Amino acid sequence: MKKLPIGIDRFEKLRRLGCYYVDKTGLIKELLDEACEVSLFTRPRRFGKSLNLDMLKNFFEKGADRNLFEGLEILNSKDLCAEHFGAYPVVYLNFKDVDGDCFETAYQALCSAAFMEVRRQCLKYALLQSSVLLETDQLFLKDVLAGSQDSKAIQGLCRVPQYLFEHCKKKVILLLDEYDVPLDKAYQKGYYDKMLDVVRGLLSMLLKSNEHLQFAVLTGCLQIARESIFTGLNHFVVNSVSDEEYSAYFGFTEAEVQQMLTYYGLDGHLNTVREWYNGYHFGAAPVYCPWDVLNYLRKLRRNPNAMPESFWVNSSSNAILQKLLAEATETVKEQLELLISGEVIEKKLVPALTYKDLDHPDALIRETYLWSVMYAAGYLTQTERLSGGVSRLKIPNREILEIYNEKISAWFRESVRGDTDRLTTLCQAFIQGEAAKVQAVFNDCLSGCISIRDTYARKEMKENFYHGMLLGILQCEGSWSVKSNQESGTGYGDIVLASPKDKIGCIIEMKYAENGAYEKYCKMAMRQIECQNYADYFLQKNMNEVHMYGIACYKKECVVMHQRINYLFD
């Protein structure tokens, strides 16, 4: 069986290791057929942008190894391959590591990346020994290679296309990966204006009226407004998540996922994979997140009963999203609650923006940018495009729904931390077995914080939501031990709360009360505690008193049932 290419974004390495490869080489033909001078592809993180760009490099670059493409779609286009395979010098720059706590550090990282590419080109084509280049140009390159972290490296990178054209007698292909990362990092760290000037200047020198350029391809997560960074560029085409063109080349299609599952003998897991990792729409085409599919298949190959989990959220930076959500208005929060309930919202999207737009003084304009960023970053997907730039948006899948639940829980914890009196009252009520007070205070918390509608969202997701709410409150009290899904008896209690100094413990089981059937689900929760012997956990801890709580929640209300157990320990 072929290996799964977890985390491999280098085409040559993937192919030489014999990894499973979902053939995206059709991208080559479409790029050549369209013949755009500069193409920008914007997709969320972990949707195959870097691997595709490296695949282009391995196809077009002089000295390319045809064996890497054996059995792949592009070799069926014989005339195209005869003309373009291994025919061009290729300049490749990846911006993903251009980061730093200050501008100077990030600028040095950019200079270092530029230096490494200049060095690669000098070694590959022996530019310092070229009989074509002027002596002054060779002296300049030697000067660049004498240091790796100064502005000469960027100047050298901008001149390399000309040198390659003169030396190879062939126009240059330029590939720029994660072009927006330096601006993302700079916005977060407070040196955005300085980095914007540098990136704008670099892209202008590389792309604007470059007579030595065959074509250029850029990738990124967000489409930065042309007037802020791409001013004056002609024949500049953007292919975003809203566009039908090229939609099959970023992410996995339904057919590709089915084929992969069949290859590994995991056909029976298709519905689970679809529920958790499908649901994105690039244009109208449904798309799976490759990073999630590959990681889950890896777990399934080791354990056919492995449960799906969130892989994507931990694989990329979410700092901007966190900032935007932290500053969200109550209106935005209400709309997010609608999304969590499985509903669709209609919002006008801004396809291109600047990071400074995210700090616009008008709250309504900031909200528009918030939805646009969330859509571009993969936290929302488009189900329908309406007139006037308005789109119908929803949460794409179960994995992203889990992320939203966590964010709402985080808001809840923050709001509770500011109300220490209510926090203390609720925690004390649990420990003292005051079920009526628990119910009253928790209802008070819920009434001002969340609204879960009885639509679409799966029952267990709703239970997890309320579970997270209550857990967030109880974890704010540092003097007690609070654990979630703690093994106890023959199962796992939702929340286990212990006050060792008082020798008191609490077992809390949460249920979602469908259609407001509070009593039914409270009794169900209590039976589960008793039948699974959850209280045995405290018996082993020599607790004198145990409180068992069955809590049923529906929309903004809860009902609490309670039972006390007394143990006698010396």
Side-chain angles (χ1 to χ4, degrees):
M1 295 292 249
K2 294 180 180 180
K3 303 173 184 176
L4 286 166
I6 307 294
I8 300 177
D9 58 7
R10 293 303 175 203
F11 181 78
E12 179 180 3
K13 181 178 181 180
L14 183 153
R15 296 292 285 170
R16 295 201 187 285
L17 287 175
C19 294
Y20 192 103
Y21 176 62
V22 177
D23 190 349
K24 300 295 183 180
T25 58
L27 173 63
I28 298 168
K29 186 176 187 305
E30 286 207 26
L31 279 172
L32 292 172
D33 288 346
E34 191 168 6
C36 294
E37 184 173 338
V38 181
S39 299
L40 168 63
F41 293 94
T42 60
R43 296 292 189 276
R45 308 292 182 210
R46 296 295 188 177
F47 273 79
K49 300 188 299 295
S50 295
L51 180 58
N52 275 345
L53 217 60
D54 197 63
M55 179 266 292
L56 296 178
K57 173 178 173 289
N58 278 271
F59 180 87
F60 287 111
E61 191 166 43
K62 283 182 173 293
D65 184 354
R66 192 181 185 89
N67 292 326
L68 296 177
F69 291 85
E70 282 299 323
L72 300 182
E73 176 187 347
I74 192 60
L75 291 191
N76 296 328
S77 303
K78 299 186 184 302
D79 292 342
L80 179 151
C81 291
E83 181 180 356
H84 297 286
F85 186 82
Y88 303 91
V90 175
V91 174
Y92 181 97
L93 187 66
N94 194 326
F95 290 86
K96 70 176 182 179
D97 294 323
V98 180
D99 187 11
D101 290 332
C102 63
F103 170 74
E104 289 72 22
T105 302
Y107 183 70
Q108 287 177 358
L110 178 59
C111 291
S112 180
F115 169 83
M116 294 303 295
E117 183 58 15
V118 173
R119 181 176 181 272
R120 186 179 80 87
Q121 299 293 347
C122 287
L123 292 175
K124 182 176 179 65
Y125 296 103
L127 295 180
L128 297 182
Q129 293 78 40
S130 173
S131 60
V132 177
L133 295 187
L134 297 175
E135 182 180 355
T136 53
D137 293 331
Q138 292 177 332
L139 288 173
F140 171 74
L141 286 174
K142 288 180 181 178
D143 195 24
V144 170
L145 296 180
S148 64
Q149 293 186 340
D150 58 39
S151 59
K152 289 180 182 177
I154 295 179
Q155 296 172 22
L157 180 70
C158 294
R159 292 193 194 182
V160 157
Q162 175 190 339
Y163 298 156
L164 291 174
F165 174 75
E166 293 173 355
H167 179 79
C168 301
K169 309 301 182 187
K170 196 77 174 178
K171 288 190 175 183
V172 175
I173 291 174
L174 181 63
L175 305 175
L176 303 178
D177 197 17
E178 308 266 24
Y179 87 103
D180 56 333
V181 165
L183 299 177
D184 184 336
K185 304 296 185 183
Y187 175 73
Q188 297 172 33
K189 304 293 177 60
Y191 51 88
Y192 177 76
D193 288 337
K194 290 183 178 180
M195 185 55 72
L196 179 63
D197 288 341
V198 171
V199 174
R200 182 196 294 123
L202 174 60
L203 295 181
S204 178
M205 287 187 286
L206 286 172
L207 301 173
K208 186 178 179 180
S209 302
N210 188 343
E211 60 183 345
H212 310 110
L213 189 65
Q214 181 71 17
F215 66 82
V217 179
L218 291 75
T219 69
C221 183
L222 296 182
Q223 177 187 343
I224 309 302
R226 183 177 299 202
E227 60 271 19
S228 73
I229 197 170
F230 297 119
T231 305
L233 281 183
N234 298 319
H235 309 296
F236 181 84
V237 176
V238 178
N239 300 280
S240 74
V241 292
S242 297
D243 297 316
E244 192 71 36
E245 295 79 11
Y246 300 97
S247 59
Y249 299 119
F250 297 89
F252 292 162
T253 66
E254 177 83 9
E256 289 167 344
V257 171
Q258 287 180 339
Q259 186 176 3
M260 191 183 306
L261 289 170
T262 298
Y263 176 81
Y264 289 107
L266 298 169
D267 299 82
H269 296 276
L270 176 60
N271 287 337
T272 301
V273 174
R274 183 185 291 133
E275 177 188 2
W276 274 78
Y277 309 123
N278 191 16
Y280 299 95
H281 290 84
F282 297 163
V287 179
Y288 289 77
C289 176
W291 178 252
D292 290 320
V293 173
L294 292 172
N295 275 280
Y296 186 44
L297 260 62
R298 175 177 173 269
K299 289 177 69 72
L300 287 174
R301 291 187 68 193
R302 296 182 176 185
N303 175 15
N305 297 317
M307 298 297 294
E309 59 184 83
S310 296
F311 301 102
W312 178 76
V313 68
N314 296 318
S315 70
S316 60
S317 172
N318 305 294
I320 283 189
L321 180 70
Q322 292 172 359
K323 177 183 184 299
L324 292 172
L325 294 181
E327 300 170 355
T329 63
E330 289 302 317
T331 299
V332 170
K333 291 181 181 180
E334 288 175 4
Q335 291 167 328
L336 287 172
E337 290 164 359
L338 284 173
L339 289 166
I340 289 171
S341 296
E343 298 187 28
V344 174
I345 63 173
E346 295 181 1
K347 291 295 169 184
K348 185 170 184 177
L349 299 178
V350 180
L353 47 80
T354 70
Y355 281 88
K356 277 196 167 182
D357 291 334
L358 305 178
D359 296 321
H360 197 283
D362 189 316
L364 292 177
I365 295 177
R366 281 202 310 275
E367 285 183 20
T368 300
Y369 290 128
L370 165 64
W371 300 119
S372 301
V373 170
M374 292 177 70
Y375 171 59
Y379 291 92
L380 294 171
T381 194
Q382 179 180 263
T383 62
E384 185 180 357
R385 192 183 302 184
L386 308 176
S387 60
V390 175
S391 293
R392 291 171 60 83
L393 304 172
K394 70 171 186 177
I395 296 174
N397 52 45
R398 175 93 172 257
E399 179 190 35
I400 304 302
L401 180 59
E402 295 274 4
I403 297 169
Y404 278 85
N405 281 332
E406 290 178 8
K407 295 303 177 187
I408 296 292
S409 296
W411 287 335
F412 190 69
R413 287 193 297 271
E414 289 303 317
S415 67
V416 169
R417 286 191 181 102
D419 190 348
T420 55
D421 290 342
R422 186 167 58 177
L423 168 65
T424 301
T425 299
L426 183 60
C427 292
Q428 288 286 353
F430 270 110
I431 290 294
Q432 294 170 4
E434 298 177 330
K437 185 175 290 187
V438 168
Q439 180 174 310
V441 177
F442 193 35
N443 271 330
D444 185 42
C445 293
L446 294 177
S447 65
C449 211
I450 62 172
S451 177
I452 299 298
R453 292 162 175 80
D454 197 20
T455 55
Y456 298 112
R458 293 165 60 96
K459 176 173 173 289
E460 61 266 30
M461 298 308 301
K462 295 171 184 175
E463 287 182 3
N464 290 344
F465 191 89
Y466 290 107
H467 179 169
M469 295 300 100
L470 183 55
L471 182 65
I473 296 175
L474 298 177
Q475 286 177 332
C476 292
E477 173 52 61
S479 63
W480 298 324
S481 170
V482 182
K483 296 181 180 180
S484 178
N485 296 314
Q486 173 67 38
E487 184 172 4
S488 178
T490 58
Y492 294 84
D494 281 345
I495 300 174
V496 172
L497 172 66
S499 177
K501 67 176 182 178
D502 300 315
K503 289 195 172 185
I504 297 175
C506 300
I507 291 285
I508 304 167
E509 186 66 27
M510 309 287 294
K511 294 294 179 185
Y512 178 71
E514 293 186 39
N515 301 316
Y518 296 105
E519 184 175 357
K520 171 185 173 181
Y521 285 95
C522 279
K523 289 180 178 179
M524 189 182 299
M526 296 300 290
R527 280 198 303 271
Q528 183 172 330
I529 294 173
E530 294 173 4
C531 293
Q532 298 292 330
N533 299 313
Y534 288 167
D536 287 357
Y537 172 80
F538 291 116
L539 182 61
Q540 298 164 10
K541 300 289 184 181
N542 292 338
M543 294 289 181
N544 286 332
E545 188 175 312
V546 175
H547 297 282
M548 301 184 296
Y549 291 95
I551 302 180
C553 301
Y554 178 69
K555 296 185 177 180
K556 291 190 176 186
E557 294 186 6
C558 74
V559 169
V560 178
M561 283 190 177
H562 166 256
Q563 185 175 337
R564 183 195 313 261
I565 300 177
N566 292 315
Y567 298 112
L568 297 177
F569 293 104
D570 293 333

